[in-house]
């Protein structure tokens, strides 16, 4: 799961705060289940949590 946070940092320059990590992972996995790419899923999760 840390790889997802590393990708978020590399692609978007955003370090996800500790209080949002659980929800962030849940959203990323939900978007991946909908057949989005990992980069898109992370971007959508960040947008949904209003972190970008």
């Amino acid at each position: 799961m840390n790889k997802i946070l590393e990708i978020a940092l590399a692609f978007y320059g955003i370090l996800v705060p500790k209080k949002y990590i659980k929800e962030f992972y849940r959203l990323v996995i939900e978007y991946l289940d909908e057949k989005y790419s990992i980069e898109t899923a992370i971007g959508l999760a960040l947008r949904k949590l209003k972190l970008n």
Side-chain angles (χ1 to χ4, degrees):
M1 289 298 217
N2 286 336
K3 294 292 183 189
I4 294 174
L5 294 175
E6 289 175 19
I7 293 171
L9 183 60
F11 275 83
Y12 297 97
I14 295 174
L15 188 58
V16 180
K18 223 175 204 177
K19 65 181 181 178
Y20 292 112
I21 288 178
K22 190 173 183 178
E23 180 69 9
F24 176 72
Y25 285 148
R26 188 191 66 75
L27 287 170
V28 169
I29 291 169
E30 181 180 306
Y31 288 127
L32 288 173
D33 285 342
E34 294 177 15
K35 307 294 186 209
Y36 286 103
S37 71
I38 186 70
E39 295 87 2
T40 304
I42 289 170
L44 291 171
L46 290 171
R47 179 176 289 166
K48 181 114 180 187
L49 293 173
K50 297 181 175 130
L51 295 176
N52 60 347

